[in-house]
Amino acid sequence: MKRIKGLFDPIADYKNLASAAYLATRNCRRNREIVQFFDNLENELNAINQDLHSERYRFGPYQSFQVRDTKTRTIHAPPFRDRVVHHAMIRVLGPIFEQTASPNSYACRVNKGVHMALKKARIATNQSPWYGKVDVEKFYDSISHRLLYDRLARRFQEGKLLRLFRDLLASYCTTPERGIPIGSLTSQYLGNFLLDSVDRTIRQSGIATDWLRYMDDTIVWGSHSVIHAMREVIITELNNLGLKAKNGGEWNQCGQGVPCLGFVIYPGRVRLGKQARRRLRRRYRSAKNQFQRGEFDEFEFQDRITSLFAHAKHADDCSWRRAWLYSFSHRDIPTGHLYGDIQ
């Protein structure tokens, strides 16, 4: 494949940096760092532009904190100035990464996402007797800087852009020359880019016709012989990338339930997984406590609870959701139309 050039200047362009700055504020609170940046916006953007062109720009340090979802994760948040550069890079490079992405890859892509992957998995589970699921063990922490940089160098030609990638990778590690930070926008795209080779390997093997990948989770469907053969193919390719399948993967009959993105898919039925149910309860209780402390009004409380159940509604668990909500006091839910929303 021909290497691409002419991308560094669009990344460092002032207008692109300005758009990236506003994108970087989405879904985050306006803390002092962000307010100070926007109070001096023109000078900040000009300084980033000059530092990028002169190759003086340096990433980091990251701010680390833990979040508890289905498991405890350590998030490494970059400074706001770096987040602006990350968005500027992805605004330009995102479409380039998209060009080589497989139709079977669903993470970090427009018109894909969790619910499209769930739809694909539901159809495949109804049509196949066996499945195999591979989750990469400590994926982000295990990525080799050298191997990822080599893959980027095969795709991109400009020296300035490659040096920017090199500096970005060097700004974080879990062990020497390994690891990219969870919580960084660029990490999602770079991780997806690295695992494109898993999709290509599956397609070129010609063994499986039904599969999907959502970041480091890969699921294949087929007969027992197909699943047995694909186990070797996928694990070998992960080893080539310096990665390891968690517990050797999961290989079973679809009738036992296919775990997929927080759901468990059976032939003809989808259920919310146990961890997702626990997370739903925990987030509901957290929102209820915030409401009772007066941190927001009943209308915002209603919106938050409705959004919590929007994802769960993709499972065939209406009776469980209704019974679970009714187990709480009606005083917990200030408006009366939520029960209709979860049907």
Side-chain angles (χ1 to χ4, degrees):
M1 179 178 294
K2 186 176 180 180
R3 297 164 68 205
I4 300 174
K5 58 182 178 179
L7 300 174
F8 183 84
D9 286 343
I11 290 173
D13 179 73
Y14 182 91
K15 291 183 179 179
N16 184 53
L17 292 171
S19 297
Y22 285 98
L23 284 174
T25 63
R26 290 192 308 182
N27 302 321
C28 67
R29 295 182 178 180
R30 292 236 169 189
N31 56 28
R32 181 181 299 178
E33 181 186 17
I34 297 176
V35 171
Q36 290 177 345
F37 187 96
F38 276 88
D39 283 345
N40 195 29
L41 181 62
E42 185 174 352
N43 289 336
E44 291 281 3
L45 296 179
N46 280 324
I48 293 174
N49 174 279
Q50 293 171 11
D51 287 347
L52 287 172
H53 278 293
S54 64
E55 301 186 57
R56 294 195 308 267
Y57 192 90
R58 294 296 178 266
F59 294 95
Y62 296 85
Q63 181 181 359
S64 300
F65 58 93
Q66 290 189 331
V67 297
R68 173 70 181 175
D69 197 356
T70 55
K71 59 184 178 181
T72 301
R73 297 178 184 272
T74 301
I75 304 299
H76 302 278
F80 184 74
R81 195 169 187 256
D82 287 0
R83 296 209 300 269
V84 173
V85 176
H86 293 170
H87 277 277
M89 294 174 69
I90 296 305
R91 275 176 54 83
V92 175
L93 301 177
I96 308 302
F97 289 137
E98 179 69 21
Q99 291 175 4
T100 55
S102 164
N104 300 74
S105 173
Y106 286 82
C108 304
R109 300 183 65 193
V110 177
N111 298 324
K112 291 285 188 176
V114 171
H115 298 142
M116 288 295 292
L118 186 65
K119 181 179 178 180
K120 161 75 173 177
R122 190 168 192 165
I123 293 172
T125 300
N126 288 335
Q127 295 175 343
S128 302
W130 287 78
Y131 78 93
K133 181 177 184 293
V134 176
D135 181 14
V136 178
E137 184 174 325
K138 297 182 179 179
F139 172 56
Y140 287 104
D141 289 347
S142 303
I143 291 177
S144 165
H145 291 183
R146 183 173 300 180
L147 190 147
L148 177 55
Y149 180 84
D150 288 345
R151 297 293 174 100
L152 291 167
R154 296 180 196 174
R155 192 77 179 94
F156 303 102
Q157 185 174 351
E158 284 177 287
K160 279 190 174 183
L161 178 57
L162 291 174
R163 285 189 287 275
L164 185 64
F165 277 129
R166 181 195 61 199
D167 293 342
L168 175 63
L169 294 175
S171 68
Y172 175 88
C173 66
T174 50
T175 58
E177 296 191 356
R178 280 192 180 273
I180 58 177
I182 300 175
S184 171
L185 175 67
T186 51
S187 295
Q188 301 173 44
Y189 283 84
L190 291 176
N192 218 18
F193 169 74
L194 180 65
L195 290 179
D196 281 346
S197 65
V198 173
D199 300 326
R200 288 194 296 270
T201 299
I202 295 174
R203 184 179 67 250
Q204 291 169 3
S205 73
I207 300 172
T209 57
D210 274 333
W211 84 91
L212 70 81
R213 182 177 60 80
Y214 194 93
M215 195 55 71
D216 61 313
D217 287 348
T218 302
I219 309 176
V220 294
W221 289 266
S223 65
H224 182 271
S225 60
V226 165
I227 297 305
H228 181 74
M230 288 309 305
R231 178 176 185 171
E232 183 69 22
V233 170
I234 296 173
I235 291 179
T236 298
E237 179 59 23
L238 290 178
N239 290 339
N240 292 338
L241 297 174
L243 303 172
K244 181 181 178 182
K246 185 183 297 183
N247 300 320
E250 182 176 328
W251 316 87
N252 210 336
Q253 296 182 22
C254 292
Q256 300 299 313
V258 181
C260 179
L261 302 172
F263 296 86
V264 181
I265 306 174
Y266 300 88
R269 181 175 177 80
V270 177
R271 301 199 66 186
L272 199 63
K274 290 182 180 179
Q275 289 183 333
R277 292 188 183 199
R278 285 196 291 267
R279 180 171 62 244
L280 179 62
R281 293 188 186 101
R282 184 170 60 251
R283 290 182 176 178
Y284 173 83
R285 285 192 291 266
S286 175
K288 183 191 72 173
N289 291 337
Q290 287 180 287
F291 167 68
Q292 292 177 335
R293 290 195 299 266
E295 296 182 20
F296 45 75
D297 61 24
E298 63 182 42
F299 298 104
E300 183 174 349
F301 178 71
Q302 174 65 50
D303 289 341
R304 291 194 179 200
I305 299 306
T306 302
S307 67
L308 283 180
F309 281 90
H311 180 65
K313 286 167 63 175
H314 288 267
D316 305 318
D317 286 333
C318 179
S319 60
W320 173 82
R321 297 194 299 272
R322 187 183 292 112
W324 177 71
L325 272 178
Y326 271 113
S327 69
F328 287 88
S329 167
H330 286 275
R331 291 176 301 173
D332 294 341
I333 303 179
T335 53
H337 64 273
L338 177 60
Y339 300 113
D341 289 343
I342 65 171
Q343 294 177 3

